[in-house]
Amino acid sequence: MLEVVTLFLRLGCTAFGGPAAHIAMMRDEVVRRRRWLTDQEFLDLLGATNLIPGPNSTEMAIHVGVRRAGRPGLAAAGAAFILPAAAIVMGLSWAYVRYGAAPEAGWVLYGVRPVIIAVVVQALWALGRTAVRGPTLAAVGTVALALYFRGVNEIALLAASGLAVMGLRSGGRLRPDRAAAAVVAAAGAVVAAAAGTTAPFALTTMFLIFVKIGSVLYGSGYVLLAFLRADFVEHLGWLTDRQLLDAVAIGQFTPGPLFATATFVGYILGGVPAALLATVGIFLPAFVFVAVSHPFVPRMRRSPTAAALLDGVNVASLALMAGVSWHLGRAAITDAVTLVLALCSLALLLRSRVNSAWLVAGGAGAGFAVKLLGLS
């Protein structure tokens, strides 16, 4: 237990770069250095995390904790990996609420927001090359994106896309036109009923929303943006697009899981109690899903049905990610300077292995300099 807690506390404090980087660091520690697992065992656990919703790197930490220290390791590993990020984000949230209205803070965020858009677009490109394998999945993703812009509910799109691909593969025919028709038929006309409405802030409502997001979110942590925007910006009106971008910037700049963005959202909505509830709400389903699925890892990994469902859900997740990137990009890229910052950041991300945290820091410095010199 002490080994598990020590390792994941350290990783929670130092694991920058997103889920792929987190998982690479975990493999280096638990396979190569400590030999807690073989490569095959590690891959089996990684495959299992891709078949359940939630933050992949956090779920991987929980799986390793169970394998090393039994059931007590489940809670210990997950909490140790999450707590450093949540604590750091809590401190930055306090500073944001206290000083965010200061002109200097606005200068920094002016440069950070377009960098975040570039980070999301780069992640979308990298994930798309893996997820969109063949014309059927491309068709499903295209239809899902079109339906997202028409206001179809995000959860309905994820479920419909997964079921469509699963049904088509089980039938043995993978024609793109049938894939598109299947998504449309499965999604139907499910439109978010609360769209455009506002409601007073309530801790219980916020907590349940984060539990829902943690229970259904597949794909990259950046897909979180689509759910946060749908619930907190569009449906409830509790956040603005710029506040959402700032939340993602804080989550990107800190180590550990990107889902710690929920801590920031909770804090700016309702202070420390809301931040704690938001953090518990979004991560709680991951512990439950790992506890339930861990004994079935070998069978899940080999299941063609589960693989087909996952392929459909993943491609719909990318469609949601693309749609929300468009909306947030309009809020972040407001002039020539922010356009240049976004394009330069995207070029660096695509052509080098630069850590996105350094780009965020560079964007902050560039924004401050541009505003200080009166260039924008």
Side-chain angles (χ1 to χ4, degrees):
M1 180 69 76
L2 181 61
E3 290 174 336
V4 166
V5 170
T6 302
L7 171 62
F8 285 107
L9 274 176
R10 181 164 63 79
L11 287 175
C13 293
T14 60
F16 288 91
H22 301 168
I23 289 169
M25 293 174 71
M26 288 181 199
R27 181 198 170 276
D28 184 61
E29 293 287 352
V30 305
V31 176
R32 191 179 68 85
R33 297 184 59 189
R34 290 171 170 79
R35 301 187 184 279
W36 292 354
L37 302 172
T38 66
D39 259 326
Q40 185 58 59
E41 289 172 329
F42 189 85
L43 285 172
D44 286 346
L45 297 181
L46 183 58
T49 65
N50 287 324
L51 291 174
I52 58 176
N56 285 1
S57 58
T58 303
E59 289 168 344
M60 194 65 185
I62 298 170
H63 271 300
V64 172
V66 176
R67 185 63 62 89
R68 181 63 177 170
R71 288 287 177 175
L74 183 149
F81 188 61
I82 293 165
L83 285 175
I88 295 168
V89 170
M90 185 88 75
L92 293 173
S93 303
W94 172 84
Y96 178 88
V97 171
R98 185 174 179 86
Y99 302 110
E104 293 80 5
W107 299 353
V108 169
L109 294 172
Y110 167 83
V112 167
R113 289 169 183 144
V115 174
I116 292 300
I117 295 300
V119 170
V120 175
V121 170
Q122 187 270 340
L124 180 63
W125 171 255
L127 292 168
R129 295 172 65 185
T130 300
V132 184
R133 300 187 305 275
T136 297
L137 290 173
V140 170
T142 301
V143 174
L145 178 61
L147 292 175
Y148 167 79
F149 281 117
R150 293 295 301 270
V152 174
N153 181 271
E154 294 80 11
I155 298 174
L157 283 177
L158 291 174
S161 299
L163 292 173
V165 174
M166 186 173 66
L168 288 167
R169 287 189 181 173
S170 65
R173 301 176 65 187
L174 296 176
R175 288 170 43 192
D177 57 334
R178 288 185 62 202
V183 175
V184 174
V190 183
V191 180
T197 66
T198 58
F201 174 72
L203 282 174
T204 302
T205 301
M206 183 207 69
F207 175 74
L208 292 176
I209 288 173
F210 278 116
V211 170
K212 178 199 74 173
I213 292 173
S215 299
V216 301
L217 196 152
Y218 276 91
S220 163
Y222 296 109
V223 182
L224 176 65
L225 297 179
F227 286 85
L228 292 178
R229 188 174 187 277
D231 285 315
F232 292 110
V233 178
E234 292 185 330
H235 300 171
L236 296 171
W238 292 353
L239 293 178
T240 66
D241 273 333
R242 289 201 170 188
Q243 286 175 317
L244 180 56
L245 273 171
D246 297 342
V248 179
I250 295 296
Q252 183 67 42
F253 190 67
T254 53
L258 185 63
F259 274 39
T261 299
T263 308
F264 180 92
V265 172
Y267 190 92
I268 63 176
L269 291 177
V272 173
L276 294 174
L277 275 177
T279 306
V280 171
I282 200 165
F283 284 107
L284 180 61
F287 290 87
V288 176
F289 288 135
V290 171
V292 171
S293 66
H294 189 81
F296 305 101
V297 167
R299 277 180 282 173
M300 291 172 65
R301 186 174 181 270
R302 294 191 297 265
S303 169
T305 301
L309 178 68
L310 180 65
D311 283 344
V313 169
N314 280 345
V315 80
S317 296
L318 292 179
L320 294 178
M321 191 171 160
V324 84
S325 297
W326 168 258
H327 289 300
L328 295 179
R330 295 172 64 186
I333 301 172
T334 56
D335 54 28
V337 173
T338 49
L339 178 61
V340 170
L341 280 174
L343 292 176
C344 289
S345 299
L346 182 59
L348 284 171
L349 287 165
L350 292 174
R351 299 176 69 88
S352 70
R353 296 176 61 87
V354 61
N355 191 308
S356 57
W358 290 113
L359 281 180
V360 173
F368 190 88
V370 166
K371 291 292 188 179
L372 185 65
L373 297 174
L375 300 177
S376 175

